[in-house]
Amino acid sequence: IEFKKQQIQKYKISLASSTDHLISEEMLYLVASRYFDVMMLAGGLSVPQVIHHAIAVMYSNESPKDPNIKINEENLPAFVWETLRFAPPVTCVPYYTTPEKTHRRLINILMASRDQNVWGQDADEFRLREISEYDDLSVIYAEQMVSKEKPVNNRSCPAKHLSYQMILNFLKAFLRKTNQICVDKGIPEIKMIPKINARG
């Protein structure tokens, strides 16, 4: 509780200096509290993991990215999507196969994201694709796991758009500060996910 109070106070100070429409103390607290919830829940594990992967792709000596491709704000949206596709933060989604809940299956998102029947023969390559391709083919957020008859059975990620924006905007701010960042070449190489067989 004390940690939450401290964080909300920090958010209130930041919000008060950057937004004009939060005119009441109650409104300021409410928005700051929501920011805290977002950062603690959506930002707990998956979002920082994707940010880590993205920075690793930018700087690793073993990066799967073509070194001739420079990441900038224009191609950043596709870069975030490709990072998500290439190294999904959530690799499996479980579901029960019977009402008795005695058996479960795992939807393998990592394998599906490298499926050559869907993504093409270069599915194992890190390549910036059209945003429309990610919109149509993505399984990163278990987009297809919805039930029109019983929405309670939905397993798609409710924070898809929120988490994507958190990653995108963090990296956007990061790119604007790269002239102030010194990359330590002495750090051991960051190994990326190797090629996998997504056809079996």
Side-chain angles (χ1 to χ4, degrees):
I1 293 174
E2 189 58 37
F3 174 73
K4 181 176 181 178
K5 286 180 182 178
Q6 293 171 4
Q7 294 304 110
I8 287 177
Q9 187 59 33
K10 290 180 184 178
Y11 295 151
K12 284 171 62 178
I13 293 170
S14 178
L15 288 166
S17 65
S18 61
T19 54
D20 298 326
H21 64 282
L22 301 176
I23 53 177
S24 71
E25 178 66 22
E26 181 182 5
M27 192 180 299
L28 190 61
Y29 177 85
L30 181 65
V31 174
S33 180
R34 293 301 175 263
Y35 267 87
F36 176 82
D37 291 342
V38 164
M39 298 305 289
M40 290 300 292
L41 299 174
L45 178 62
S46 298
V47 166
Q49 186 178 358
V50 176
I51 291 171
H52 167 270
H53 290 336
I55 294 174
V57 170
M58 288 182 192
Y59 293 106
S60 172
N61 291 330
E62 293 190 359
S63 174
K65 179 181 71 65
D66 183 334
N68 296 316
I69 298 175
K70 301 303 178 189
I71 304 305
N72 52 46
E73 289 195 28
E74 185 177 346
N75 62 19
L76 186 61
F79 175 73
V80 171
W81 267 117
E82 184 65 1
T83 302
L84 284 161
R85 184 194 75 81
F86 196 80
V90 178
T91 56
C92 293
V93 177
Y95 69 96
Y96 287 107
T97 58
T98 62
E100 296 77 26
K101 298 183 179 180
T102 54
H103 294 90
R104 289 197 303 175
R105 282 187 179 161
L106 293 176
I107 300 293
N108 193 322
I109 291 176
L110 176 59
M111 298 285 279
S113 298
R114 302 278 193 95
D115 188 345
Q116 293 184 0
N117 294 322
V118 176
W119 293 95
Q121 294 301 307
D122 61 353
D124 274 331
E125 297 176 19
F126 191 97
R127 178 176 68 79
L128 303 189
R129 303 156 198 269
E130 296 294 329
I131 294 295
S132 58
E133 196 171 345
Y134 297 111
D135 287 340
D136 293 340
L137 304 178
S138 172
V139 293
I140 304 303
Y141 294 94
E143 290 92 338
Q144 293 78 8
M145 296 186 70
V146 295
S147 172
K148 293 180 180 178
E149 293 76 22
K150 294 185 178 181
V152 71
N153 290 330
N154 288 355
R155 291 296 178 269
S156 60
C157 179
K160 172 181 178 177
H161 300 293
L162 171 64
S163 63
Y164 177 82
Q165 287 300 322
M166 290 172 73
I167 298 162
L168 178 69
N169 285 288
F170 181 96
L171 292 172
K172 191 177 292 185
F174 175 81
L175 288 177
R176 292 174 182 173
K177 300 286 186 181
T178 50
N179 62 331
Q180 301 174 27
I181 296 169
C182 177
V183 178
D184 184 354
K185 296 296 185 181
I187 295 174
E189 294 177 348
I190 303 172
K191 295 187 182 297
M192 300 304 295
I193 295 176
K195 289 188 176 183
I196 61 174
N197 180 6
R199 290 171 290 178

